[in-house]
Amino acid sequence: MYVNIRTKVGDLMEFMPYVWLGLAVVLAVVEISTTQLVSIWFVIGAAATAVCSATFLKGNIVLQILVFVLISAIMLVLTRPLVKKLRKNEIVNTNSDRNIGKTGVVLVDIDPETGKGLVRIGNEKWSAKSKDNLRIKEGSNIRVLAIEGVKLIVEAQNERKD
């Protein structure tokens, strides 16, 4: 039994526009499911290749792949400045960030073993832990170095004088 391979490949090439459209849909779903632009360029490349494979690139898979790669790359290059402008990576300070660098007083001993400690910065009370895991006694002056979650990271300024 003789099977003409060219005929079989030609039959498969008729479905290439659907393959490219399917790829575009899958990539679009990936794009929609993420919060960042990761595959929009490939969605456009696959959709454009689907149109090309249905019209003038019938039967030439190499040219179809080349069109996909070129259109995706061109879209990436053309839209990169726009994407950079839309995605400003600015750090937005919260209200608690204003406490970094301020000084305060220890209200309850900062104990690295128990993880407990309480300080007052201005009129606010905060849970605190020491930067170097040292015990800081009640009444000591501290300076805020950072914030981790809801705790201030502090260092002792000077010991309490009794």
Side-chain angles (χ1 to χ4, degrees):
M1 180 178 193
Y2 175 72
V3 176
N4 188 347
I5 293 176
R6 287 187 174 201
T7 304
K8 293 295 181 186
V9 172
D11 291 344
L12 291 175
M13 293 306 291
E14 291 179 27
F15 294 105
M16 284 311 293
Y18 302 110
V19 171
W20 289 111
L21 280 177
L23 180 62
V25 169
V26 168
L27 291 169
V29 169
V30 168
E31 183 65 41
I32 290 168
S33 65
T34 62
T35 58
Q36 298 184 3
L37 296 174
V38 293
S39 64
I40 189 69
W41 306 281
F42 304 115
V43 172
I44 296 167
T49 305
V51 171
C52 292
S53 69
T55 55
F56 60 91
L57 288 180
K58 292 179 182 178
N60 195 336
I61 190 71
V62 174
L63 283 178
Q64 290 176 23
I65 292 171
L66 185 62
V67 166
F68 171 72
V69 170
L70 284 175
I71 290 178
S72 297
I74 289 168
M75 292 307 300
L76 178 64
V77 169
L78 292 178
T79 59
R80 185 170 161 77
L82 176 64
V83 170
K84 276 184 143 180
K85 187 184 287 186
L86 292 175
R87 292 189 59 224
K88 294 179 182 173
N89 292 332
E90 296 176 8
I91 296 173
V92 178
N93 291 334
T94 62
N95 289 337
S96 59
D97 292 339
R98 71 182 183 285
N99 290 322
I100 296 174
K102 288 189 176 180
T103 57
V105 177
V106 177
L107 300 176
V108 174
D109 286 1
I110 298 174
D111 186 357
E113 292 176 19
T114 63
K116 295 186 178 186
L118 189 66
V119 298
R120 183 178 63 230
I121 308 294
N123 293 327
E124 297 177 345
K125 294 178 182 177
W126 285 83
S127 296
K129 64 181 184 179
S130 71
K131 173 186 120 183
D132 300 320
N133 286 328
L134 300 173
R135 177 182 220 91
I136 304 176
K137 295 184 180 184
E138 179 182 339
S140 299
N141 293 323
I142 52 91
R143 185 170 67 90
V144 179
L145 301 175
I147 299 173
E148 284 183 7
V150 295
K151 284 192 174 190
L152 298 179
I153 309 301
V154 300
E155 69 179 356
Q157 291 290 30
N158 57 13
E159 289 297 317
R160 178 181 79 176
K161 296 180 174 121
D162 290 327

